[in-house]
Amino acid sequence: MLPHLTTLIPGPRSLALAAKLRRHESRNVTFLADDFPIFWQRAEGVNVWDADGNRFLDLTSAFGVSGLGHTNAAVRAALVAQSGELLHAMGDVHPTELKAELCARLSALTYERWGAGDGKTVLSSSGSDAVETALKTALLRTGKAGVIAFTGGYHGLGLGALSAIGLPYFREPFRAQLKDFATLLPYPAERGGLPGGLRGQIEETIRAGGIGCVLVEPVQGRGGCVVPPREFLPMLREVCDTHGMLLIADEIYTGFNRTGALFACEHSGVVPDLICLGKALTGGFPLSACVGRAEVMDAWPESSGEALHTSTFLGNPLGCAMALASLAQHDDPALAAHVRERGAKLRAALAALRSPHLGEIRGLGLMLGVELIERTEDCRGSCQLPQSPDHPPGESGRFPYSRPATALAIAIIKHALRDGLLLLADSPTSNVLSFTPPFAISDDEIAFTAARLQEYLTLLPGSIS
Ligand SMILES: Cc1ncc(COP(=O)(O)O)c(C=O)c1O
């Protein structure tokens, strides 16, 4: 047993709440086990406290939402002030000044900042909603319903977004309710460079007809923190320009400085036609946005009194107020530089870990992944790369002759929880520990995290091959 492991997490209150959930929440939602989860009570900065009073270091920013820190003072002040004024308005009928202000700010931070004219926005509630708005826009603009998307891609679980995601686990049980408008092509990983045949595959898909857009994450998050080669997005831009298709950047995870640039597409200087935003946009309110070049968004007909695409909570004033307070902080180039510096520190600490189970350490800024593998016998030249729809070769990491160490990843997440570290795993095989902490993570917190990880990698059962 690791010396500092405590049996008090989850504590009695969390266990009682788990029992309540087991009885009253649909059983597919929250993973409930004897040693998981804890129930969040409050949070501040990089820390979270659970219902039993235990403090945790959040290495996840709660799915990438809280980069500016939990309960960020300015965002909270905006929420508190707004809550005394107006909780809800009529988003597409009689809206608020805040909605107009937010649409203008989103334009200023994207298309105007990129020197591409005005941007226009459709607001919505979830990331999945924003992606579906983008897909509808592409159909209206091009008249073509087909979408090129990528293996390992995650775009949300609404039936439209689900049709375009590259993680079969989420899609397959609902195939009968989905329309086959997406063609999935392999997402290239940085280490291999741009595969020679990929452009050909894209061209061939386009030649088959009906493709109106390419939907892509500039860095895949849920797919396992996969950074593509630098030429990938520029190549997609060129293909879209050549064929009159739209390039949709899904920056719901990568947006707002997470990768060390305000938006991840800026690393390769590519301006997408549409950008999908969510998560960190507000730092904690379900509000998302599809922002597009004005002439692209003008494919939508002018409202004649009945909006073609809207929702009850569109442009909710609480969310808009929080987003404006959050954007005011993101619009500071020093923040991107800070994330790059913190990211380099965390990456160096992760790269110094020693274990035969370490595969690739990858990512950008404070969006980092540590791949855990079981190395198989050295069969170089004589055995096949592991290939399956769930584990395509592009994601198999630095050591192709290996299996994903999923059980080790899960054991590490559970041990980390009991040591006060909140950690998640991504990738189709859940073997990539993902590190997306709040931007204020300190040197000491990085050192603590790395020391614990080294201990797990050395001491956990199954960690020595
Ligand atoms: C890249 C990306 N797109 C879309 C989504 C879906 O967002 P939501 O869960 O808010 O629907 C996610 C969520 O993780 C995401 O990472």
Side-chain angles (χ1 to χ4, degrees):
M1 208 184 196
L2 304 177
H4 41 78
L5 213 71
T6 155
T7 50
L8 295 176
I9 292 176
R13 182 116 191 91
S14 287
L15 291 173
L17 291 169
K20 191 175 271 188
L21 267 194
R22 186 178 292 287
R23 186 154 172 214
H24 295 296
E25 187 186 41
S26 170
R27 64 185 188 168
N28 109 89
V29 181
T30 308
F31 171 65
L32 299 170
D34 291 345
D35 51 3
F36 206 90
I38 51 123
F39 282 70
W40 289 31
Q41 183 81 25
R42 69 186 175 92
E44 192 183 324
V46 297
N47 287 132
V48 172
W49 284 261
D50 74 358
D52 293 284
N54 300 303
R55 182 166 69 107
F56 298 84
L57 171 63
D58 182 14
L59 298 169
T60 71
S61 294
F63 310 128
V65 169
S66 307
L68 295 176
H70 288 287
T71 328
N72 177 269
V75 173
R76 183 166 167 269
L79 172 68
V80 169
Q82 184 55 38
S83 69
E85 291 281 322
L86 181 72
L87 298 181
H88 174 64
M90 299 178 74
D92 63 305
V93 179
H94 298 300
T96 59
E97 179 177 343
L98 289 164
K99 185 178 92 162
E101 205 51 50
L102 179 56
C103 291
R105 288 295 294 142
L106 287 170
S107 169
L109 286 178
T110 57
Y111 291 91
E112 290 174 56
R113 207 171 123 262
W114 296 330
D118 278 348
K120 288 191 176 184
T121 289
V122 176
L123 295 174
S124 48
S125 299
S126 70
S128 178
D129 293 341
V131 168
E132 291 175 356
T133 306
L135 296 179
K136 282 185 172 182
T137 307
L139 174 57
L140 290 178
R141 169 79 176 182
T142 66
K144 294 176 179 166
V147 177
I148 290 177
F150 295 92
T151 53
Y154 186 86
H155 304 292
L157 302 183
L159 288 176
L162 194 57
S163 297
I165 75 174
L167 294 165
Y169 167 80
F170 297 105
R171 198 181 50 239
E172 288 314 307
F174 306 101
R175 177 156 281 294
Q177 289 182 329
L178 301 177
K179 188 121 170 68
D180 265 335
F181 57 73
T183 303
L184 293 176
L185 297 178
Y187 190 85
E190 190 175 27
R191 72 182 162 277
L194 197 61
L198 182 57
R199 172 124 195 192
Q201 280 179 283
I202 294 174
E203 298 280 358
E204 198 179 310
T205 308
I206 295 167
R207 264 199 304 279
I211 302 291
C213 67
V214 175
L215 171 64
V216 66
E217 290 165 87
V219 176
Q220 283 190 341
R222 299 288 307 270
C225 198
V226 186
V227 182
R230 199 165 266 277
E231 318 83 60
F232 179 53
L233 281 189
M235 183 272 282
L236 294 181
R237 179 69 276 173
E238 195 194 316
V239 169
C240 286
D241 288 342
T242 306
H243 295 278
M245 292 159 32
L246 299 188
L247 180 61
I248 304 172
D250 180 348
E251 294 238 21
I252 286 159
Y253 208 142
T254 52
F256 303 112
N257 288 308
R258 173 56 57 195
T259 67
L262 184 51
F263 301 104
C265 59
E266 295 174 7
H267 290 292
S268 49
V270 163
V271 174
D273 298 295
L274 296 161
I275 182 166
C276 300
L277 303 169
K279 291 189 186 279
L281 169 57
T282 61
F285 191 91
L287 186 136
S288 58
C290 170
V291 190
R293 285 194 292 122
E295 65 270 31
V296 169
M297 292 305 277
D298 283 345
W300 288 90
E302 179 137 12
S303 174
S304 57
E306 186 68 88
L308 196 51
H309 182 80
T310 185
S311 60
T312 304
F313 290 106
L314 183 150
N316 174 275
L318 298 173
C320 288
M322 289 172 70
L324 286 166
S326 158
L327 295 183
Q329 296 171 73
H330 282 293
D331 188 18
D332 174 1
L335 188 57
H338 170 82
V339 170
R340 290 195 295 274
E341 186 274 328
R342 291 288 81 195
K345 263 265 158 64
L346 178 56
R347 193 182 185 117
L350 297 173
L353 296 173
R354 290 290 165 259
S355 163
H357 292 286
L358 287 172
E360 232 178 12
I361 291 166
R362 59 195 182 215
L364 281 177
L366 278 172
M367 184 171 176
L368 298 172
V370 172
E371 185 189 41
L372 298 176
I373 53 167
E374 310 283 350
R375 284 199 227 176
T376 52
E377 284 305 299
D378 186 2
C379 55
R380 266 153 231 252
S382 64
C383 69
Q384 293 290 308
L385 297 179
Q387 285 192 26
S388 80
D390 274 359
H391 190 223
E395 290 161 6
S396 58
R398 193 155 56 99
F399 301 101
Y401 303 99
S402 64
R403 287 188 299 271
T406 307
L408 179 60
I410 292 169
I412 287 178
I413 288 168
K414 289 184 169 180
H415 277 258
L417 186 69
R418 277 176 272 168
D419 282 339
L421 295 173
L422 294 169
L423 194 57
L424 290 175
D426 279 315
S427 98
T429 42
S430 299
N431 68 315
V432 178
L433 297 174
S434 64
F435 295 83
T436 56
F439 302 160
I441 189 166
S442 69
D443 285 352
D444 283 353
E445 287 153 351
I446 289 174
F448 178 84
T449 299
R452 289 292 176 266
L453 284 171
Q454 184 59 68
E455 200 170 49
Y456 308 144
L457 288 167
T458 309
L459 297 179
L460 276 180
S463 60
I464 311 289
S465 59

